[in-house]
Amino acid sequence: MTSTPILACWTLSLFGVASIAHAAPADEAAPPVREDAPTTPQTAQSWADALELGGALRFNHRYEDWSSSDKQQGGGDIDFDAFYLDLEAEKDDLFLDLSYWFKDNDVRVLEHGFFGYRFSPRSRLEMGATFEPFGIMPYPQFGWTFNIPFYLGMGHNTALGAKYVYEGPEWEAQVGFFKNPLSLDTRYAPNMASADDVDDAFLAPTNSGQANEKQNQLSGRLVRTFQGDGWQSRLGASAYVGQLHNDTTDRNGSYWGTELHALTTFGPWQVQLQGIRYVFDPENPEGVSDDSVLFAGPGTPSYRVAAKGTVGVLNIAYDLPTPRLGPVKKLRFYNDYSRLVKDRSGWDDSQMETVGVQFFALPVMGWLDVTWGKNMNMMGGMPGGVGLASADAEGSGEWELRTNLNIGYYF
């Protein structure tokens, strides 16, 4: 491991703590889910000064144009997507925040779940399964379809640990220590996994030697807000560094990542820009390549990720008020693009492009996405899950198409 990423991460962490008098609220690009969630009856006041319960019920229609997909015939399928519950509670300066999801294919996950202490209206400590402070938060895209950072564990990702947050009118700072990710059957977002923890039905034989797991991660994020007449821009930087423990060799490798991002709003327009650099440096046994690492999420096939790479993101959205469309009060048109450039010579880039529209008819909300993917395991089902790595399996190098309509009732 080089000293540069470690120094960058510690510098960012110390700078964030030193900037406590100046931070900015974390409200970046979060699509509204509900308005004024109801409080519980007064019978709950004995253990909570305030209690809010929310959630959603969502359904999905999906069409996929690749031959191995079961959603190609008959124009695609309509399926149950998710039902989830959000719970927030406060008692004096203590608070609780969690979201538990019931998803399709009998998947049950903790999207996040933490408790904490509020030092002041602007500063707090979160402990438990809290969001890692990295990149564009809380979502790295405008559409319903996640983009490449999400599949690399760098977007909307939680881990078990503790995080300090300070938010002010101009500056936002977050510093956290995370012992390890959530278990494979509990995590919401994909992350690194050992082959021993992956169900055989979701593990390609070529990935059986992968035995690395993240641990002891230090993360920091700093954001500065600038604004003028009709515009606002949020400029941010993040970094993380941690250990990669290999269960086979019982040795520790390392990993690190840094990023810069900018979120700008001017009138009805929003633009998100991001650049990410990351490195995984595992201590694998002889015969297991160090060029890629194994990732997995709950109930989905595992896949390999290039051990070293650079990611670029450009997302654009336009909001259109629709006072004459009855319950639909606003439409948001968007274009999300992301690209992974791999360090390994001969490994082709992975790309995703999503165009679509989101409609707001609260409490009903929906997204219509049209997504193209190239060298993406999630789009094309490439054997061995190598799209984000070597991209040398059947279907590599081809653009695949998927359409997705998601509609839900939010409360």
Side-chain angles (χ1 to χ4, degrees), residues 57-62 64 70-71 77-84 101-109 144 185 188 202 297-300 402 404 406:
L57 174 64
R58 308 194 318 196
F59 294 89
N60 223 38
H61 176 274
R62 179 173 294 177
E64 299 170 337
D70 61 357
K71 300 185 183 300
D77 293 333
I78 298 177
D79 296 309
F80 166 76
D81 174 38
F83 173 74
Y84 66 84
W101 288 56
F102 303 82
K103 303 181 72 175
D104 60 338
N105 298 321
D106 294 323
V107 172
R108 310 286 183 264
V109 295
W144 182 89
D185 59 353
Y188 174 87
F202 298 134
T300 58
R402 181 176 74 191
N404 197 94
N406 187 277

Side-chain angles (χ1 to χ4, degrees), residues 37-287:
T39 57
T40 58
Q42 293 184 353
T43 53
Q45 299 305 307
S46 60
W47 60 274
D49 297 329
L51 186 66
E52 294 187 355
L53 180 66
L57 174 64
R58 308 194 318 196
F59 294 89
N60 223 38
H61 176 274
R62 179 173 294 177
Y63 170 80
E64 299 170 337
D65 75 341
W66 51 91
S67 59
S68 61
S69 174
D70 61 357
K71 300 185 183 300
Q72 185 182 47
Q73 303 300 322
D77 293 333
I78 298 177
D79 296 309
F80 166 76
D81 174 38
F83 173 74
Y84 66 84
L85 292 173
D86 295 331
L87 177 65
E88 297 181 11
E90 294 187 10
K91 178 66 174 179
D92 299 325
D93 294 322
L94 300 173
F95 62 89
L96 170 73
D97 191 333
L98 67 87
S99 182
Y100 193 80
W101 288 56
F102 303 82
K103 303 181 72 175
D104 60 338
N105 298 321
D106 294 323
V107 172
R108 310 286 183 264
V109 295
L110 182 67
E111 192 246 11
H112 70 269
F114 55 86
F115 60 91
Y117 182 81
R118 205 175 300 279
F119 300 102
S120 73
R122 293 185 177 178
S123 66
R124 64 185 184 271
L125 177 66
E126 300 175 358
M127 295 170 287
T130 183
F131 291 103
E132 296 181 22
F134 189 83
I136 300 173
M137 297 179 71
Y139 298 99
Q141 79 288 321
F142 293 111
W144 182 89
T145 302
F146 282 108
N147 59 7
I148 289 177
F150 175 79
Y151 296 108
L152 302 181
M154 303 175 194
H156 203 69
N157 195 43
T158 57
L160 293 168
K163 180 177 69 174
Y164 179 80
V165 180
Y166 193 91
E167 298 170 340
E170 295 181 346
W171 289 92
E172 172 194 336
Q174 300 185 38
V175 179
F177 174 79
F178 303 92
K179 182 59 182 175
N180 50 262
L182 277 76
S183 63
L184 181 56
D185 59 353
T186 306
R187 66 183 60 162
Y188 174 87
N191 211 323
M192 186 172 292
S194 172
D196 292 339
D197 298 328
V198 179
D199 189 293
D200 290 343
F202 298 134
L203 182 68
T206 53
N207 297 334
S208 58
Q210 296 282 341
N212 294 293
E213 296 179 328
K214 292 180 178 179
Q215 62 180 19
N216 300 327
Q217 175 179 312
L218 178 65
S219 303
R221 180 175 182 266
L222 187 65
V223 176
R224 175 69 158 90
T225 299
F226 303 88
Q227 54 188 358
D229 186 14
W231 66 272
Q232 182 186 79
S233 188
R234 294 168 57 80
L235 305 180
S238 315
Y240 63 76
V241 63
Q243 293 177 320
L244 281 184
H245 181 73
N246 188 281
D247 294 336
T248 303
T249 64
D250 199 28
R251 296 197 303 264
N252 290 323
S254 62
Y255 67 99
W256 60 267
T258 60
E259 68 87 37
L260 297 173
H261 68 268
L263 312 179
T264 300
T265 302
F266 47 101
W269 292 94
Q270 297 182 65
V271 178
Q272 301 177 344
L273 282 169
Q274 185 179 32
I276 301 172
R277 175 63 184 170
Y278 75 89
V279 169
F280 295 107
D281 188 13
E283 288 287 343
N284 288 321
E286 185 177 354

Side-chain angles (χ1 to χ4, degrees), residues 277-361:
R277 175 63 184 170
Y278 75 89
V279 169
F280 295 107
D281 188 13
E283 288 287 343
N284 288 321
E286 185 177 354
V288 177
S289 173
D290 294 341
D291 291 332
S292 63
V293 291
L294 187 67
F295 269 58
T300 58
S302 60
Y303 55 94
R304 279 189 281 161
V305 168
K308 299 178 182 180
T310 302
V311 181
V313 176
L314 171 60
N315 306 324
I316 301 174
Y318 179 85
D319 288 350
L320 178 66
T322 54
R324 298 183 180 180
L325 287 184
V328 179
K329 303 304 180 184
K330 183 175 71 173
L331 297 175
R332 172 173 293 165
F333 300 91
Y334 49 82
N335 187 338
D336 298 330
Y337 176 76
S338 54
R339 183 170 190 153
L340 166 62
V341 180
K342 306 153 191 174
D343 280 18
R344 171 69 185 269
S345 177
W347 286 13
D348 291 340
D349 298 353
S350 296
Q351 300 180 65
M352 286 188 71
E353 173 91 17
T354 297
V355 297
V357 58
Q358 180 182 6
F359 65 85
F360 298 82

